[in-house]
């Protein structure tokens, strides 16, 4: 019902429009040009230096880097830790250095993945947002849930694979990267339920992603 308080309303032509494109429809009202989105942003030199130090201290240098981010705020958007661990093991076997990134709240998930994949390095809670951008920019590949880190990888032009379940990648997926999404073909996908206890189907949208 928030629309009732708005002084201006902008029509959205269809529901299957990406959030970026929906937000860009505000631009002309603000006198901005109607050009395509520009996701470029500066990364401070101090962040680059901090990440250089992290990579060196954790023995992640000298090999192609894979960044895995197994957390996200919604419980239902989290792919299972064993899935991330299996991906991490595959990446280490194929010669990549694996860094696990996330917030301090996501440390348990990152530590569990690290325990199940010897050689992976847990950097959760050790990066600011700028540091994370500097880390992602160095990545050969990123593997994420539907999360801010996914959008960061897309904005930085890095290869990304994202696991989707309760949300709709057409509306909120990595912008311009429909092929970067992995999801199970289940009829309840896209329910937008946030809590596992609210899911009547055993979280099949994520558990069935191998």
């Amino acid at each position: 019902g928030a629309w009732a308080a708005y002084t201006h309303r902008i029509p959205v032509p269809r529901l299957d429009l990406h959030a970026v494109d929906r937000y860009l429809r505000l631009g002309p009202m603000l006198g901005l040009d109607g050009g395509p989105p520009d996701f470029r942003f500066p990364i401070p030199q101090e962040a680059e230096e901090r990440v250089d130090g992290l990579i060196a201290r954790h023995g992640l240098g000298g090999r192609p880097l894979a960044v895995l981010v197994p957390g996200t705020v919604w419980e239902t958007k989290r792919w299972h830790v064993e899935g991330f661990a299996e991906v991490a093991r595959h990446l280490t076997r194929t010669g990549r250095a694996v860094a696990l990134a996330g917030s301090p709240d996501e440390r348990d998930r990152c530590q569990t993945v690290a325990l199940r994949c010897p050689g992976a390095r847990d950097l959760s809670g050790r990066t600011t947002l700028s540091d994370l951008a500097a880390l992602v920019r160095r990545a050969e590949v990123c593997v994420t849930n539907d999360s801010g880190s996914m959008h960061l990888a897309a904005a930085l032009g890095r290869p990304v694979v994202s696991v989707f379940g309760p949300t709709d990648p057409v509306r909120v997926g990595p912008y311009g990267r429909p092929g970067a999404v992995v999801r199970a073909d289940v009829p309840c996908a896209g329910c937008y339920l946030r809590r596992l206890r609210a899911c009547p189907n055993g979280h099949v949208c994520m558990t069935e992603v191998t």
Side-chain angles (χ1 to χ4, degrees):
W3 60 268
Y6 296 164
T7 57
H8 299 74
R9 299 181 195 170
I10 300 170
V12 177
R14 62 184 196 274
L15 292 177
D16 62 338
L17 195 67
H18 196 281
V20 170
D21 295 312
R22 293 200 306 273
Y23 298 151
L24 284 174
R25 295 179 70 82
L26 182 66
M29 181 181 289
L30 300 175
L32 303 175
D33 67 68
D38 182 355
F39 294 109
R40 290 175 298 176
F41 59 92
I43 299 176
Q45 182 60 34
E46 311 88 79
E48 300 280 11
E49 292 168 0
R50 285 193 297 268
V51 168
D52 284 340
L54 273 176
I55 287 174
R57 286 194 301 275
H58 290 274
L60 294 167
R63 291 169 290 165
L65 178 65
V67 175
L68 275 59
V69 189
T72 189
V73 175
W74 291 17
E75 296 174 336
T76 52
K77 292 198 296 185
R78 298 171 191 158
W79 191 36
H80 46 90
V81 290
E82 182 51 38
F84 276 102
E86 188 172 353
V87 169
R89 291 191 293 268
H90 168 76
L91 291 167
T92 55
R93 285 196 302 268
T94 53
R96 276 83 173 173
V98 174
L100 301 163
S103 69
D105 291 340
E106 295 161 352
R107 184 164 289 156
D108 285 349
R109 289 178 63 81
C110 289
Q111 288 178 344
T112 301
V113 174
L115 285 171
R116 296 181 184 184
C117 177
R121 298 291 183 258
D122 174 20
L123 305 184
S124 59
R126 295 181 172 90
T127 56
T128 66
L129 186 58
S130 294
D131 295 348
L132 180 61
L135 182 68
V136 166
R137 189 159 72 173
R138 289 163 167 75
E140 179 190 66
V141 65
C142 299
V143 183
T144 73
N145 301 300
D146 172 15
S147 62
S149 54
M150 171 195 73
H151 295 296
L152 189 60
L156 290 166
R158 305 315 304 143
V160 60
V161 178
S162 296
V163 184
F164 268 69
T167 49
D168 183 354
V170 172
R171 298 173 64 189
V172 294
Y175 190 73
R177 307 273 197 92
V181 170
V182 176
R183 64 193 312 218
D185 184 18
V186 295
C188 56
C191 65
Y192 280 86
L193 295 174
R194 297 186 181 210
R195 298 293 180 189
L196 288 175
R197 65 175 177 267
C199 174
N201 298 316
H203 205 208
V204 292
C205 63
M206 292 304 236
T207 58
E208 290 198 6
V209 177
T210 62

